[in-house]
Amino acid sequence: MKRATLILLALSTIVNGLSKPTDSLLSRSFAFPKSGNALWYRSPAANWVLESLPIGNGYMGASVFSGVQNDTILVNLDNLWAGGPFADPAYNGANWGESDVPAVHQRLKALRETIFANGTANDLNGITPDAGQYGTFASAGSLVVSRPQIISNYTNYTRWLDLDDGVIRSTWSEGYITFRREYICSYPDHSCSHKTSASQAIPKILYSIVPIADHSDIEISCKGNSTLVLRARAGANGMGMLYEVAGSVRLSGDGSTTCSNGYISVLNATDIWFTWTGDTEYNINAGTAAQHYSFKGSDPHSQVTGILARVASIPYAKYLQNHLNDYKRGTSQSFSLDLGQSPDWSTPTDVLLKNYQAWQKSRQPSDASTTLLEWILVNYGRYLMFSSARGNLPANLQGVWSQGAWSPWSGDYHANINVQMMYWPVEVTGMDVTQTLWDFIQKTVVPRGGDTAQTLYNVSRGWVMHDETNIFGSTGMKGLDIPNYNPAEWTNYAAAGAWLMTHVWDHFDFTGDIAWLKRQGYPLLKATAEYWLDALQVDAYSKDGSLVVNPCNSPELPQTTFGCTHWQQMIWELFNSVDKALSVLHLGSEKAFLEEVRAARSKVDRGFRISPSGVLQEWKLDLDNSDRLAHRHLSPLTGLYPSYSISSWVPRSDGFMSTDLSKSALINASRTLLMQRGNGTSPDADAGWGKFWRAACWAQLGEPTRFYSQLSYGIARNFASNLFSLYNPFNTAENTLFQMDANGGYPAAVLNALVQAPDTQRRDETLVVTLLPALPSSWSRGHLYGVRTRRGLELDLEWRSGKLTKASIKGPRILNGTVVQVKVQGAGINRQITLTRGQSVTLA
Ligand SMILES: *[C@@H]1O[C@H](CO)[C@@H](O)[C@H](O)[C@H]1NC(C)=O
Ligand SMILES: *[C@@H]1O[C@H](CO)[C@@H](O)[C@H](O)[C@H]1NC(C)=O
Ligand SMILES: *[C@@H]1O[C@H](CO)[C@@H](O)[C@H](O)[C@H]1NC(C)=O
Ligand SMILES: *[C@@H]1O[C@H](CO)[C@@H](O)[C@H](O)[C@H]1NC(C)=O
Ligand SMILES: *[C@@H]1O[C@H](CO)[C@@H](O)[C@H](O)[C@H]1NC(C)=O
Ligand SMILES: *[C@@H]1O[C@H](CO)[C@@H](O)[C@H](O)[C@H]1NC(C)=O
Ligand SMILES: *[C@@H]1O[C@H](CO)[C@@H](O)[C@H](O)[C@H]1NC(C)=O
Ligand SMILES: *[C@@H]1O[C@H](CO)[C@@H](O)[C@H](O)[C@H]1NC(C)=O
Ligand SMILES: *[C@@H]1O[C@H](CO)[C@@H](O)[C@H](O)[C@H]1NC(C)=O
Ligand SMILES: *[C@@H]1O[C@H](CO)[C@@H](O)[C@H](O)[C@H]1NC(C)=O
């Protein structure tokens, strides 16, 4: 018998084998989703980073092992961090103190002069302050559900993450007794649950919460006979953020519960549901100077108790339904992708991945199993964002899933590609998960970033941040207190805010939400632009009258210089965003500001130069580039993808500077750079994000073969069997790091092969929408419904044998009369149409 049949039989045995379902959960189908949209395995997870499965509601994350005798669930709270003002009341977000400021301004001035005289500088000349108590995203402990005694060794075990439902399930047998588990994190009910059902009473099952050893003031207590409470501080010696996690057991049917010595003990029950929630004393609304950047709120106890009391009155079936409604509305109501895959219930996901790795090395033609994994990874990337981005804070580098007291890279917000990449698939697939990101920018980095602008750069308007930030508004150019150590390559990145502003503009451009643009989007754009209006320098090296950044490092490269290509693009685009936003808002009060922005924009160096060897330059000067050959970052190509400075290039016609290029020369030099950067495997480069950025760029260049080969290389190389994207994939499990960036970069790269509509400098320029620009031959049939583009447009397309068979475009949601040029690669379609509001036009 083939394994496929066996499993289906096993599942149907389980479903039918229960004579009397004990509640409505058991009467609904407890089987794999028919669509094939799941990750599934035949044994429990043994290792967090490689095998556990994630659920989350944004506020909380849970990493699920689905053990049989002992089940472990790592518990996370999105705002639980060690460090910051909770560890050191004098924590200042890596900024200089008042008394240092005059000297720092002098040193910055000297540094700029060196760079303008010499082209580069050796080090940052003492402008980086100590990072202080930067802290780290920390786990809140784990929930352990154990049975002192099993009935017999288990058989027929399966666990799976159903991506249609956003639920983890598992099932197994012990003798003639069948067990089922269901795990949910519910956004509407602000809690997570762990449900065990058995076809016969379970003699004894214990629930406990295991704290993090490095945390302090740990108290675990019982409340009544069915509630456990953990309270602790995320740091040693009582210094650290206070948090509370509490959970209650409920039974349906027979059984009894007692709670003592940190254990809830349940006897003789068949249906047991443990629901937990948690919170910290972090308060994002207390991050201003007036509140001394304390970020301190109230004791989380009443919030936690209130949620548990409310959830206690909800029947389980209703709880599940609330979650399903929220999940389906948020992920699949209007968006749907088909790559021609078919479900495969004979090959567990870990085996599917192993087969994929072998296939990728073999260079054989792809088949149904490769397409299935490629499709699941798109859904999974969206699932992870939906499950981690909506709570108190945006998704961090780990989403909302971590183990222990410390997270890799502090589980922070790396804003020189990583956080941006996680958000790439969000607007295009219509997920409403970004409000926490805007609030985070507005309430953490903008206030403190105003201090950084002032104390480091002597700029009194606007705000600035650097590459890495935490939840306590770390905005300074943080250094490390190590003698003779030059941190410039990672810390000297002040364009992070400008890059994030492309997301702010896009949010409006995709959704058409004018009220939001006026209330939150435009003020963010303006404050960011204000900083750059004052921080840009007249280029005293080239003496060409242009405005450039100084000092700059191209992300994670050692040269400290001026006019870095990537920074110049981001600032030019930022000024465009201000202009475009005001063309929508028509704010009379902003007239003078708009004139100022336009005047600066007309002088900003847009950054593009081609070296004598034909490569797009990293910097205004053609510096020694041996470090950047095959470098992991593609920073000069930001304007190719995800942005538009290259893709929608229009040479200037005003004769300013002598450096303007034709679009074909710029694209050619960009392609040469992309070739030179290799496939993302050079030393210190073996992360998924570098590969999917490359894949998206190849798609942008309309090269399906290179797109697909880079995409499949990333899949084979950088995912664990739980499909977490990995850094150091071939190291030991202990050294292998999960960073969620590539889980977001992957779906974005796939979509960029199916539909492209790069932004333009002005809103009245024609938007070029290209359908199937880089469709690989292995995705010969499929559909994409409900995909969004900027200007508030929405498209549906279908293709067969690699050719577009049906397409329609709907929109725009707001501005009437949007002009769109629709192109279909290889199909001779090139139509200019004018769309009125909400109108649907059939294209093919
Ligand atoms: C496991 O599943 C198979 C196939 O349905 C069934 O024949 C067998 O009895 C099950 N084993 C146990 C121990 O339940
Ligand atoms: C479950 O935990 C108990 C108590 O810690 C331990 O004795 C037992 O070996 C564990 N069982 C498994 C399968 O890990
Ligand atoms: C700082 O800015 C002020 C106001 O623009 C200016 O007068 C002063 O010279 C600047 N300081 C340095 C060191 O450049
Ligand atoms: C000037 O630039 C050269 C390389 O172009 C470098 O070797 C030298 O150290 C720089 N001088 C200073 C003072 O930074
Ligand atoms: C499970 O299997 C092991 C080894 O096969 C055996 O020693 C043990 O007795 C079994 N346990 C139960 C409860 O059947
Ligand atoms: C828990 O204790 C309450 C009384 O405090 C009792 O009414 C209830 O039946 C107990 N529940 C269980 C499941 O043992
Ligand atoms: C649990 O069930 C066992 C076996 O049926 C029985 O002996 C025991 O008294 C029950 N315990 C409770 C607390 O109901
Ligand atoms: C593209 O760049 C390559 C490599 O520098 C060069 O040989 C070629 O002439 C360029 N083609 C165009 C059209 O500019
Ligand atoms: C990726 O690049 C490395 C280094 O150049 C090379 O050894 C490897 O074969 C390449 N792999 C693929 C799939 O292109
Ligand atoms: C949009 O423009 C069209 C044609 O110019 C006009 O007929 C229509 O009334 C406008 N619709 C809205 C909602 O403004």
Side-chain angles (χ1 to χ4, degrees), residues 165-196:
D165 284 0
V167 172
I168 295 174
R169 299 190 168 102
S170 63
T171 178
W172 70 91
S173 301
E174 292 179 23
Y176 53 88
I177 303 184
T178 301
F179 287 81
R180 290 175 179 181
R181 283 213 164 117
E182 191 160 74
Y183 310 76
I184 308 169
C185 278
S186 163
Y187 179 81
D189 289 318
H190 205 123
S191 56
C192 303
S193 86
H194 174 290
K195 180 144 170 35
T196 307

Side-chain angles (χ1 to χ4, degrees), residues 114 118 120-122:
T114 301
N118 187 57
T120 62
N122 287 325

Side-chain angles (χ1 to χ4, degrees), residues 203-263:
K204 186 172 188 178
I205 183 162
L206 298 168
Y207 294 80
S208 61
I209 302 179
V210 179
I212 299 293
D214 306 43
H215 291 175
S216 59
D217 291 0
I218 296 168
E219 287 169 35
I220 297 176
S221 56
C222 288
K223 217 170 77 185
N225 51 13
S226 57
T227 300
L228 264 181
V229 182
L230 163 70
R231 284 169 67 82
R233 289 189 177 272
N237 307 319
M239 290 298 282
M241 192 189 285
L242 176 68
Y243 64 96
E244 177 167 321
V245 174
S248 296
V249 157
R250 284 168 63 205
L251 311 178
S252 113
D254 296 338
S256 67
T257 75
T258 52
C259 186
S260 64
N261 298 323
Y263 286 92

Side-chain angles (χ1 to χ4, degrees), residues 82-163:
F86 297 89
D88 173 9
Y91 176 72
N92 70 358
N95 281 296
W96 288 104
E98 277 311 314
S99 59
D100 297 311
V101 166
V104 171
H105 287 174
Q106 286 305 329
R107 293 202 289 267
L108 177 71
K109 193 161 173 265
L111 175 63
R112 281 181 168 151
E113 282 166 5
T114 301
I115 289 171
F116 274 149
N118 187 57
T120 62
N122 287 325
D123 63 46
L124 291 174
N125 192 24
I127 65 168
T128 58
D130 190 71
Q133 285 276 358
Y134 184 76
T136 176
F137 179 55
S139 169
S142 34
L143 166 68
V144 175
V145 181
S146 60
R147 289 179 298 144
Q149 223 124 48
I150 53 170
I151 293 155
S152 70
N153 288 317
Y154 66 85
T155 55
N156 289 345
Y157 177 93
T158 313
R159 68 181 168 108
W160 68 103
L161 166 57
D162 181 328
L163 292 170

Side-chain angles (χ1 to χ4, degrees), residues 674-688:
L674 188 55
M675 286 297 280
Q676 189 185 69
R677 286 286 155 103
N679 59 26
T681 324
S682 74
D684 198 17
D686 209 352

Side-chain angles (χ1 to χ4, degrees), residues 439-771:
D439 290 345
F440 174 75
I441 296 172
Q442 182 190 323
K443 295 175 180 187
T444 70
V445 285
V446 168
R448 186 84 89 175
D451 289 358
T452 305
Q454 180 67 66
T455 55
L456 176 54
Y457 295 105
N458 195 20
V459 167
S460 53
R461 286 193 288 176
W463 71 286
V464 64
M465 65 179 276
H466 294 82
D467 171 28
E468 297 173 14
T469 194
N470 56 15
I471 68 169
F472 312 118
S474 178
T475 47
M477 193 197 283
K478 71 184 167 108
L480 296 174
D481 204 4
I482 301 172
N484 303 320
Y485 169 74
N486 181 2
E489 64 183 82
W490 56 270
T491 199
N492 182 21
Y493 180 65
W499 192 348
L500 284 169
M501 289 307 114
T502 66
H503 291 247
V504 168
W505 168 250
D506 284 358
H507 182 63
F508 165 74
D509 205 10
F510 278 75
T511 62
D513 188 344
I514 293 186
W516 174 82
L517 180 67
K518 188 167 181 184
R519 175 171 41 83
Q520 191 170 33
Y522 177 70
L524 288 173
L525 295 173
K526 180 179 181 183
T528 316
E530 280 179 322
Y531 169 78
W532 284 109
L533 287 171
D534 289 355
L536 285 168
Q537 308 282 308
V538 177
D539 184 348
Y541 182 98
S542 321
K543 300 188 171 60
D544 56 7
S546 69
L547 293 175
V548 292
V549 291
N550 176 7
C552 67
N553 277 64
S554 202
E556 302 186 20
L557 281 164
Q559 292 82 349
T560 299
T561 178
F562 68 96
C564 297
T565 306
H566 161 85
W567 296 44
Q568 298 293 142
Q569 296 168 48
M570 293 293 92
I571 293 163
W572 182 74
E573 292 188 6
L574 169 66
F575 289 163
N576 292 339
S577 296
V578 169
D579 195 341
K580 286 186 279 193
L582 288 174
S583 79
V584 174
L585 296 176
H586 305 292
L587 300 175
S589 58
E590 298 302 292
K591 214 161 170 269
F593 183 67
L594 178 59
E595 286 316 311
E596 191 185 358
V597 166
R598 285 180 172 170
R601 182 181 58 191
S602 72
K603 297 224 156 97
V604 166
D605 190 320
R606 289 157 77 185
F608 298 111
R609 277 167 193 77
I610 300 177
S611 76
S613 62
V615 190
L616 185 65
Q617 287 180 198
E618 192 89 29
W619 314 277
K620 191 159 183 175
L621 297 182
D622 186 22
L623 302 172
D624 168 25
N625 70 1
S626 51
D627 291 308
R628 72 191 190 116
L629 291 171
H631 191 263
R632 54 195 177 275
H633 285 254
L634 301 178
S635 308
L637 299 180
T638 316
L640 182 64
Y641 186 89
S643 230
Y644 65 93
S645 290
I646 298 173
S647 318
S648 302
W649 174 256
V650 179
R652 347 179 18 134
S653 52
D654 60 4
F656 180 68
M657 304 201 299
S658 53
T659 52
D660 245 4
L661 303 166
S662 69
K663 182 163 181 186
S664 62
L666 180 57
I667 293 283
N668 192 34
S670 300
R671 188 181 186 283
T672 308
L673 177 62
L674 188 55
M675 286 297 280
Q676 189 185 69
R677 286 286 155 103
N679 59 26
T681 324
S682 74
D684 198 17
D686 209 352
W689 62 261
K691 301 190 180 73
F692 300 129
W693 195 358
R694 284 160 171 74
C697 284
W698 284 118
Q700 194 67 41
L701 292 170
E703 300 194 35
T705 306
R706 286 187 190 280
F707 155 74
Y708 187 67
S709 120
Q710 183 68 55
L711 189 88
S712 46
Y713 185 51
I715 295 176
R717 187 114 185 153
N718 290 101
F719 287 111
S721 67
N722 60 3
L723 306 185
F724 273 0
S725 84
L726 299 180
Y727 178 73
N728 273 348
F730 302 107
N731 229 311
T732 60
E734 291 69 41
N735 292 330
T736 299
L737 311 183
F738 164 46
Q739 42 184 85
M740 211 175 88
D741 42 23
N743 286 104
Y746 174 83
V750 167
L751 290 164
N752 205 44
L754 305 177
V755 176
Q756 292 169 3
D759 205 358
T760 53
Q761 179 184 354
R762 297 189 322 273
R763 263 183 91 71
D764 57 5
E765 279 174 76
T766 301
L767 184 74
V768 179
V769 179
T770 310
L771 308 184

